[in-house]
Amino acid sequence: EKQTEDSSSTECSEPGTMDLKFTSSRKYISISVPSKSQAMSPHIKSVDDVVVLGINLSKFSKPTQFFICVSGVFMFYLIYGYLQELIFSVEGFKPFGWYLTLVQFGFYSIFGLIELQLIQDKRRRIPGKTYMIIAFLTVGTMGLSNTSLGYLNYPTQVIFKCCKLIPVMIGGVFIQGKRYNIVDVSAALCMSLGLIWFTLADSTVAPNFNLTG
């Protein structure tokens, strides 16, 4: 028993940090585990808090929270799609997709600054280089999507956007090594086909396809 105590020992130095000492092999391993208070933003009081548009939904049941979040996604996306189609229906606006992107991200930046001032949480959690890469890819995605409306009508663009889940899953398999079961694949196919079918149901808009778009 004494030999076992001498060969290995475990010590806890402080809350959130676990130190393991192995005296026989003369190795020292330190594993730091951040506490919940360190991992969360200061305006979130509990790890179970669900805050949407500054409103804490934690007082509602899980199904109610899910319903509110899903309804919000649908409502705001429908408003966004309607306004985008309305803007590009204005005569002479189709060549200005990148200008619309500039206006969009200008407002995104303003809203982001307002949120930072309200929650007083200005800690950087990931490197600045990662922010720049994500920002570049996001601006490129939105800019090219808006520009495509200069060559395609809105329903055609929606069809292609609805199908992007399939190449994303293929990329996940070959690039990230992910594995999807038959349920995941079936759900992706059903969602894509359903959205395409729903969009094609709009018979009042004539199909308009351009390879550039």
Side-chain angles (χ1 to χ4, degrees), residues 44-52 54-66 68-69:
I44 299 179
K45 306 303 180 183
S46 170
V47 72
D48 296 323
D49 280 358
V50 178
V51 180
V52 178
I55 303 174
N56 196 329
L57 304 179
S58 303
K59 60 182 178 181
F60 300 104
S61 63
K62 294 293 183 181
T64 304
Q65 293 178 17
F66 176 76
I68 293 174
C69 291

Side-chain angles (χ1 to χ4, degrees), residues 44-121:
I44 299 179
K45 306 303 180 183
S46 170
V47 72
D48 296 323
D49 280 358
V50 178
V51 180
V52 178
L53 298 177
I55 303 174
N56 196 329
L57 304 179
S58 303
K59 60 182 178 181
F60 300 104
S61 63
K62 294 293 183 181
T64 304
Q65 293 178 17
F66 176 76
F67 177 77
I68 293 174
C69 291
V70 170
S71 301
V73 170
F74 273 92
M75 180 183 71
F76 285 110
Y77 191 79
L78 286 173
I79 294 173
Y80 172 80
Y82 172 77
L83 292 176
Q84 189 179 41
E85 184 177 14
L86 187 65
I87 289 173
F88 279 95
S89 65
V90 176
E91 186 177 357
F93 191 83
K94 285 189 175 183
F96 299 101
W98 283 105
Y99 174 74
L100 177 63
T101 305
L102 173 65
V103 175
Q104 282 183 262
F105 280 88
F107 278 103
Y108 293 164
S109 301
I110 294 173
F111 294 147
L113 290 173
I114 293 175
E115 183 184 19
L116 282 177
Q117 296 300 321
L118 291 177
I119 65 177
Q120 295 297 320
D121 182 17

Side-chain angles (χ1 to χ4, degrees), residues 19-43:
D19 298 331
L20 303 177
K21 285 185 178 180
F22 301 91
T23 55
S24 59
S25 59
R26 299 181 181 277
K27 290 183 179 180
Y28 181 85
I29 302 175
S30 178
I31 303 175
S32 298
V33 181
S35 62
K36 289 182 179 180
S37 60
Q38 292 175 329
M40 292 185 301
S41 300
H43 66 290

Side-chain angles (χ1 to χ4, degrees), residues 138-194:
T138 306
V139 171
T141 300
M142 297 293 294
L144 293 173
S145 178
N146 290 335
T147 304
S148 69
L149 287 173
Y151 304 91
L152 306 171
N153 58 22
Y154 190 77
T156 306
Q157 186 217 42
V158 172
I159 291 175
F160 280 93
K161 290 178 71 174
C162 292
C163 294
K164 69 182 179 182
L165 178 60
I166 297 176
V168 167
M169 292 182 70
I170 295 174
V173 172
F174 289 101
I175 298 175
Q176 297 178 300
K178 292 183 177 181
R179 291 294 178 266
Y180 300 100
N181 55 36
I182 189 64
V183 177
D184 296 329
V185 176
S186 300
L189 290 175
C190 288
M191 188 187 74
S192 299
L193 291 174

